[in-house]
Short mmCIF file of all heavy atoms in Angstrom, two decimals:
data_model
loop_
_atom_site.label_atom_id
_atom_site.label_comp_id
_atom_site.label_asym_id
_atom_site.label_seq_id
_atom_site.Cartn_x
_atom_site.Cartn_y
_atom_site.Cartn_z
N GLY A 75 158.80 12.74 149.64
CA GLY A 75 157.34 12.85 149.74
C GLY A 75 156.75 13.90 148.83
O GLY A 75 155.54 13.92 148.60
N SER A 76 157.58 14.78 148.31
CA SER A 76 157.05 15.86 147.48
C SER A 76 157.53 15.77 146.03
O SER A 76 157.74 16.79 145.39
CB SER A 76 157.45 17.20 148.09
OG SER A 76 158.84 17.34 148.08
N PHE A 77 157.69 14.55 145.53
CA PHE A 77 158.16 14.39 144.15
C PHE A 77 157.14 14.99 143.16
O PHE A 77 157.52 15.67 142.21
CB PHE A 77 158.40 12.91 143.84
CG PHE A 77 158.80 12.67 142.42
CD1 PHE A 77 160.07 12.99 141.98
CD2 PHE A 77 157.89 12.17 141.50
CE1 PHE A 77 160.45 12.79 140.66
CE2 PHE A 77 158.26 11.96 140.18
CZ PHE A 77 159.53 12.27 139.76
N GLU A 78 155.86 14.71 143.39
CA GLU A 78 154.82 15.25 142.51
C GLU A 78 154.79 16.78 142.56
O GLU A 78 154.59 17.44 141.55
CB GLU A 78 153.44 14.69 142.86
CG GLU A 78 153.27 13.21 142.59
CD GLU A 78 153.77 12.34 143.73
OE1 GLU A 78 154.09 12.89 144.81
OE2 GLU A 78 153.87 11.12 143.54
N ALA A 79 155.01 17.34 143.75
CA ALA A 79 155.05 18.79 143.89
C ALA A 79 156.23 19.38 143.13
O ALA A 79 156.13 20.45 142.52
CB ALA A 79 155.13 19.17 145.37
N GLN A 80 157.37 18.66 143.14
CA GLN A 80 158.53 19.13 142.37
C GLN A 80 158.24 19.10 140.88
O GLN A 80 158.66 19.98 140.14
CB GLN A 80 159.75 18.26 142.68
CG GLN A 80 160.33 18.46 144.05
CD GLN A 80 161.51 17.55 144.31
OE1 GLN A 80 162.14 17.07 143.38
NE2 GLN A 80 161.80 17.32 145.58
N GLN A 81 157.50 18.08 140.43
CA GLN A 81 157.14 18.00 139.01
C GLN A 81 156.21 19.15 138.62
O GLN A 81 156.33 19.71 137.53
CB GLN A 81 156.47 16.65 138.71
CG GLN A 81 157.39 15.47 138.88
CD GLN A 81 158.63 15.59 138.00
OE1 GLN A 81 158.55 15.91 136.83
NE2 GLN A 81 159.80 15.34 138.59
N ILE A 82 155.30 19.52 139.50
CA ILE A 82 154.43 20.67 139.23
C ILE A 82 155.26 21.94 139.17
O ILE A 82 155.06 22.79 138.30
CB ILE A 82 153.32 20.76 140.30
CG1 ILE A 82 152.33 19.61 140.13
CG2 ILE A 82 152.59 22.10 140.22
CD1 ILE A 82 151.30 19.52 141.21
N ALA A 83 156.21 22.09 140.10
CA ALA A 83 157.04 23.29 140.14
C ALA A 83 157.91 23.42 138.89
O ALA A 83 158.24 24.53 138.47
CB ALA A 83 157.91 23.29 141.40
N LYS A 84 158.30 22.30 138.29
CA LYS A 84 159.14 22.34 137.09
C LYS A 84 158.40 22.93 135.89
O LYS A 84 159.03 23.36 134.93
CB LYS A 84 159.66 20.95 136.74
CG LYS A 84 160.77 20.49 137.64
CD LYS A 84 161.26 19.12 137.23
CE LYS A 84 162.36 18.65 138.16
NZ LYS A 84 162.82 17.30 137.81
N GLN A 85 157.06 22.92 135.93
CA GLN A 85 156.27 23.48 134.83
C GLN A 85 156.36 25.01 134.79
O GLN A 85 156.11 25.60 133.76
CB GLN A 85 154.79 23.11 134.98
CG GLN A 85 154.50 21.65 134.96
CD GLN A 85 153.05 21.38 135.27
OE1 GLN A 85 152.24 22.29 135.39
NE2 GLN A 85 152.70 20.11 135.40
N PHE A 86 156.68 25.62 135.93
CA PHE A 86 156.62 27.07 136.05
C PHE A 86 157.95 27.72 135.71
O PHE A 86 159.01 27.14 135.90
CB PHE A 86 156.24 27.48 137.48
CG PHE A 86 154.95 26.87 137.96
CD1 PHE A 86 154.81 26.48 139.26
CD2 PHE A 86 153.88 26.70 137.10
CE1 PHE A 86 153.63 25.93 139.71
CE2 PHE A 86 152.70 26.15 137.53
CZ PHE A 86 152.57 25.76 138.85
N GLU A 87 157.86 28.96 135.23
CA GLU A 87 159.06 29.75 134.95
C GLU A 87 159.64 30.22 136.28
O GLU A 87 158.91 30.55 137.21
CB GLU A 87 158.66 30.95 134.08
CG GLU A 87 159.81 31.77 133.59
CD GLU A 87 159.34 32.92 132.72
OE1 GLU A 87 158.36 32.75 131.98
OE2 GLU A 87 159.97 33.99 132.81
N ARG A 88 160.96 30.29 136.34
CA ARG A 88 161.62 30.74 137.58
C ARG A 88 161.65 32.26 137.64
O ARG A 88 162.01 32.93 136.67
CB ARG A 88 163.06 30.22 137.64
CG ARG A 88 163.19 28.74 137.59
CD ARG A 88 162.91 28.12 138.95
NE ARG A 88 162.82 26.68 138.86
CZ ARG A 88 163.84 25.85 139.01
NH1 ARG A 88 165.03 26.32 139.25
NH2 ARG A 88 163.65 24.56 138.93
N ARG A 89 161.30 32.81 138.79
CA ARG A 89 161.38 34.24 139.03
C ARG A 89 162.56 34.47 139.95
O ARG A 89 162.69 33.83 140.99
CB ARG A 89 160.09 34.73 139.67
CG ARG A 89 160.03 36.19 139.98
CD ARG A 89 160.24 37.08 138.81
NE ARG A 89 159.26 36.87 137.76
CZ ARG A 89 159.18 37.59 136.67
NH1 ARG A 89 160.03 38.57 136.47
NH2 ARG A 89 158.28 37.34 135.75
N ARG A 90 163.45 35.37 139.53
CA ARG A 90 164.64 35.65 140.35
C ARG A 90 164.26 36.27 141.67
O ARG A 90 163.39 37.13 141.74
CB ARG A 90 165.55 36.62 139.61
CG ARG A 90 166.53 35.93 138.77
CD ARG A 90 167.70 36.84 138.43
NE ARG A 90 168.39 36.24 137.32
CZ ARG A 90 168.64 36.85 136.19
NH1 ARG A 90 168.32 38.10 136.04
NH2 ARG A 90 169.24 36.22 135.23
N CYS A 91 164.97 35.84 142.69
CA CYS A 91 164.81 36.47 143.99
C CYS A 91 166.19 36.91 144.46
O CYS A 91 167.20 36.36 144.02
CB CYS A 91 164.15 35.52 144.99
SG CYS A 91 164.97 33.95 145.22
N PRO A 92 166.27 37.89 145.35
CA PRO A 92 167.57 38.45 145.72
C PRO A 92 168.43 37.52 146.57
O PRO A 92 169.59 37.82 146.82
CB PRO A 92 167.21 39.71 146.50
CG PRO A 92 165.82 39.53 146.93
CD PRO A 92 165.16 38.62 145.95
N HIS A 93 167.90 36.39 147.01
CA HIS A 93 168.67 35.53 147.91
C HIS A 93 168.83 34.12 147.34
O HIS A 93 168.50 33.14 147.99
CB HIS A 93 168.01 35.46 149.28
CG HIS A 93 166.56 35.79 149.26
ND1 HIS A 93 165.61 34.95 148.73
CD2 HIS A 93 165.91 36.88 149.66
CE1 HIS A 93 164.44 35.51 148.84
NE2 HIS A 93 164.58 36.67 149.38
N THR A 94 169.35 34.03 146.13
CA THR A 94 169.53 32.72 145.51
C THR A 94 170.68 31.92 146.13
O THR A 94 170.63 30.70 146.14
CB THR A 94 169.80 32.87 143.99
OG1 THR A 94 170.83 33.81 143.79
CG2 THR A 94 168.55 33.30 143.26
N HIS A 95 171.69 32.59 146.66
CA HIS A 95 172.82 31.87 147.24
C HIS A 95 172.54 31.39 148.65
O HIS A 95 173.11 30.39 149.08
CB HIS A 95 174.08 32.75 147.23
CG HIS A 95 174.49 33.12 145.85
ND1 HIS A 95 174.92 32.19 144.93
CD2 HIS A 95 174.52 34.32 145.20
CE1 HIS A 95 175.21 32.80 143.78
NE2 HIS A 95 174.98 34.10 143.93
N ALA A 96 171.67 32.08 149.36
CA ALA A 96 171.28 31.67 150.70
C ALA A 96 169.76 31.63 150.76
O ALA A 96 169.12 32.59 151.18
CB ALA A 96 171.83 32.65 151.74
N PRO A 97 169.14 30.52 150.30
CA PRO A 97 167.67 30.47 150.22
C PRO A 97 167.01 30.59 151.59
O PRO A 97 167.52 30.10 152.59
CB PRO A 97 167.38 29.11 149.59
CG PRO A 97 168.66 28.42 149.39
CD PRO A 97 169.76 29.31 149.83
N ILE A 98 165.87 31.26 151.59
CA ILE A 98 165.07 31.41 152.79
C ILE A 98 163.76 30.66 152.56
O ILE A 98 163.57 30.03 151.53
CB ILE A 98 164.83 32.90 153.12
CG1 ILE A 98 164.08 33.60 151.98
CG2 ILE A 98 166.13 33.60 153.42
CD1 ILE A 98 163.69 35.03 152.29
N GLY A 99 162.84 30.75 153.51
CA GLY A 99 161.57 30.07 153.38
C GLY A 99 160.75 30.60 152.21
O GLY A 99 160.88 31.76 151.80
N SER A 100 159.88 29.76 151.70
CA SER A 100 159.08 30.10 150.53
C SER A 100 158.17 31.30 150.79
O SER A 100 158.05 32.20 149.96
CB SER A 100 158.24 28.89 150.12
OG SER A 100 157.41 29.20 149.06
N ALA A 101 157.55 31.34 151.95
CA ALA A 101 156.61 32.42 152.27
C ALA A 101 157.33 33.77 152.36
O ALA A 101 156.85 34.77 151.81
CB ALA A 101 155.89 32.12 153.58
N GLU A 102 158.47 33.81 153.04
CA GLU A 102 159.21 35.07 153.16
C GLU A 102 159.72 35.53 151.79
O GLU A 102 159.73 36.73 151.49
CB GLU A 102 160.40 34.93 154.11
CG GLU A 102 160.02 34.66 155.56
CD GLU A 102 159.89 33.18 155.85
OE1 GLU A 102 160.50 32.37 155.13
OE2 GLU A 102 159.16 32.83 156.78
N CYS A 103 160.14 34.58 150.96
CA CYS A 103 160.65 34.93 149.64
C CYS A 103 159.55 35.54 148.78
O CYS A 103 159.75 36.56 148.12
CB CYS A 103 161.22 33.69 148.97
SG CYS A 103 161.88 34.01 147.34
N VAL A 104 158.37 34.92 148.78
CA VAL A 104 157.25 35.45 147.99
C VAL A 104 156.88 36.85 148.48
O VAL A 104 156.64 37.76 147.68
CB VAL A 104 156.04 34.50 148.05
CG1 VAL A 104 154.79 35.16 147.50
CG2 VAL A 104 156.34 33.22 147.30
N LEU A 105 156.88 37.03 149.79
CA LEU A 105 156.55 38.34 150.36
C LEU A 105 157.56 39.40 149.92
O LEU A 105 157.19 40.52 149.59
CB LEU A 105 156.52 38.24 151.88
CG LEU A 105 155.85 39.35 152.65
CD1 LEU A 105 154.40 39.49 152.22
CD2 LEU A 105 155.92 39.09 154.13
N GLN A 106 158.85 39.04 149.84
CA GLN A 106 159.87 39.99 149.42
C GLN A 106 159.81 40.26 147.91
O GLN A 106 160.05 41.38 147.47
CB GLN A 106 161.26 39.50 149.80
CG GLN A 106 161.54 39.60 151.28
CD GLN A 106 162.94 39.13 151.62
OE1 GLN A 106 163.77 38.92 150.75
NE2 GLN A 106 163.20 38.97 152.92
N VAL A 107 159.49 39.24 147.12
CA VAL A 107 159.42 39.43 145.67
C VAL A 107 158.23 40.33 145.31
O VAL A 107 158.34 41.19 144.44
CB VAL A 107 159.32 38.06 144.94
CG1 VAL A 107 158.96 38.24 143.48
CG2 VAL A 107 160.64 37.32 145.06
N VAL A 108 157.12 40.15 146.00
CA VAL A 108 155.94 41.00 145.74
C VAL A 108 156.24 42.43 146.16
O VAL A 108 155.89 43.38 145.45
CB VAL A 108 154.71 40.44 146.48
CG1 VAL A 108 153.58 41.45 146.48
CG2 VAL A 108 154.25 39.15 145.84
N GLY A 109 156.90 42.61 147.29
CA GLY A 109 157.27 43.94 147.76
C GLY A 109 156.10 44.67 148.42
O GLY A 109 154.98 44.14 148.51
N PRO A 110 156.32 45.90 148.86
CA PRO A 110 155.28 46.63 149.59
C PRO A 110 154.18 47.20 148.68
O PRO A 110 153.12 47.57 149.17
CB PRO A 110 156.05 47.76 150.28
CG PRO A 110 157.27 47.95 149.44
CD PRO A 110 157.60 46.61 148.85
N THR A 111 154.41 47.26 147.36
CA THR A 111 153.41 47.88 146.49
C THR A 111 152.94 46.97 145.35
O THR A 111 152.06 47.37 144.60
CB THR A 111 153.98 49.16 145.85
OG1 THR A 111 155.15 48.83 145.10
CG2 THR A 111 154.30 50.19 146.91
N ASN A 112 153.51 45.81 145.19
CA ASN A 112 153.18 44.89 144.09
C ASN A 112 153.29 45.59 142.75
O ASN A 112 152.37 45.60 141.94
CB ASN A 112 151.78 44.29 144.28
CG ASN A 112 151.50 43.14 143.35
OD1 ASN A 112 152.41 42.52 142.81
ND2 ASN A 112 150.23 42.85 143.16
N GLU A 113 154.44 46.18 142.49
CA GLU A 113 154.63 46.97 141.28
C GLU A 113 154.60 46.15 140.01
O GLU A 113 154.32 46.67 138.94
CB GLU A 113 155.92 47.78 141.37
CG GLU A 113 157.16 46.93 141.34
CD GLU A 113 158.42 47.76 141.44
OE1 GLU A 113 158.86 48.01 142.58
OE2 GLU A 113 158.94 48.14 140.39
#
Side-chain angles (χ1 to χ4, degrees):
S76 63
F77 177 74
E78 292 85 9
Q80 289 179 22
Q81 294 303 314
I82 290 174
K84 284 181 182 178
Q85 299 173 6
F86 305 143
E87 186 179 324
R88 301 280 171 91
R89 180 58 59 175
R90 269 199 196 126
C91 56
H93 23 71
T94 51
H95 298 295
I98 60 174
S100 176
E102 295 89 24
C103 180
V104 168
L105 196 58
Q106 287 182 11
V107 169
V108 168
T111 59
N112 192 20
E113 68 181 89

